[in-house]
């Protein structure tokens, strides 16, 4: 699968469409999810063109990876989530229901989040 340069997060990174920005640095842009699933629901997006975690893990430089994960920790702390807790989610591919094909991590928190796959009835 090739990287679609017109995916919505690529367009946000280029400034073509707006976002509700939370944080940015040389490695990432972070913004509030348009359909929040928790009181805090921030999407953290690397500036590089990666389709998903799988692609990022194979191709990103160590410096990009370090910058990406350091930014997540910083944003969670900024949002006051470190003490109460938070969840990180990233979806790769069809079985995970990835809908935007630019790598991103969801930071979720601000309330008890329940089980790992809330809503699922079985592991089949
Ligand atoms: P995923 O299913 O992991 O690919 O998640 C994509 C996420 O992007 C969903 O939670 C959407 O609500 C969110 N989303 C889609 N378009 C936008 C947008 N323009 N601004 C902010 N969040 C968006």
């Amino acid at each position: 699968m090739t990287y679609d340069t017109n995916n919505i997060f690529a367009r946000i990174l280029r400034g073509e469409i707006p976002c509700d920005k939370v944080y940015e640095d040389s490695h990432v842009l972070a913004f509030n999810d348009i359909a929040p699933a928790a009181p805090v629901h921030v999407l953290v997006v690397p500036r590089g063109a990666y389709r998903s975690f799988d692609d990022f893990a194979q191709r990103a430089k160590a410096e990009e990876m370090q910058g990406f994960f350091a930014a997540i920790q910083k944003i969670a702390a900024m949002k006051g989530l470190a003490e109460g807790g938070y969840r990180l989610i990233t979806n790769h591919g069809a079985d995970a229901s990835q809908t935007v094909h630019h790598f991103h991590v969801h930071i979720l928190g601000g309330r008890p989040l329940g089980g790992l796959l809330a809503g699922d009835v079985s592991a089949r």
Side-chain angles (χ1 to χ4, degrees):
M1 188 185 183
T2 56
Y3 179 81
D4 170 15
T5 56
N6 279 323
N7 75 74
I8 193 134
F9 293 171
R11 297 187 64 203
I12 288 173
L13 281 164
R14 290 197 296 268
E16 293 170 5
I17 54 174
C19 70
D20 184 8
K21 186 166 70 183
V22 169
Y23 174 84
E24 69 176 327
D25 64 23
S26 61
H27 292 289
V28 309
L29 176 65
F31 48 90
N32 287 317
D33 195 292
I34 205 166
V40 176
H41 187 170
V42 176
L43 299 172
V44 187
V45 172
R47 293 193 182 277
Y50 301 102
R51 295 183 305 275
S52 70
F53 169 77
D54 201 70
D55 189 24
F56 185 75
Q58 292 183 69
R59 295 197 301 111
K61 296 190 177 87
E63 183 193 342
E64 287 177 277
M65 292 187 187
Q66 195 276 334
F68 185 76
F69 288 105
I72 291 174
Q73 187 279 330
K74 193 180 282 188
I75 294 160
M78 274 171 50
K79 288 288 183 182
L81 300 178
E83 191 173 332
Y86 58 92
R87 181 171 294 162
L88 305 180
I89 295 176
T90 191
N91 295 313
H92 163 69
D95 279 357
S97 303
Q98 182 180 1
T99 58
V100 178
H101 296 278
H102 181 112
F103 174 44
H104 53 281
V105 165
H106 302 246
I107 304 176
L108 295 153
R111 66 165 169 79
L113 296 169
L116 186 60
L117 295 176
D120 266 13
V121 291
S122 79
R124 281 176 289 159

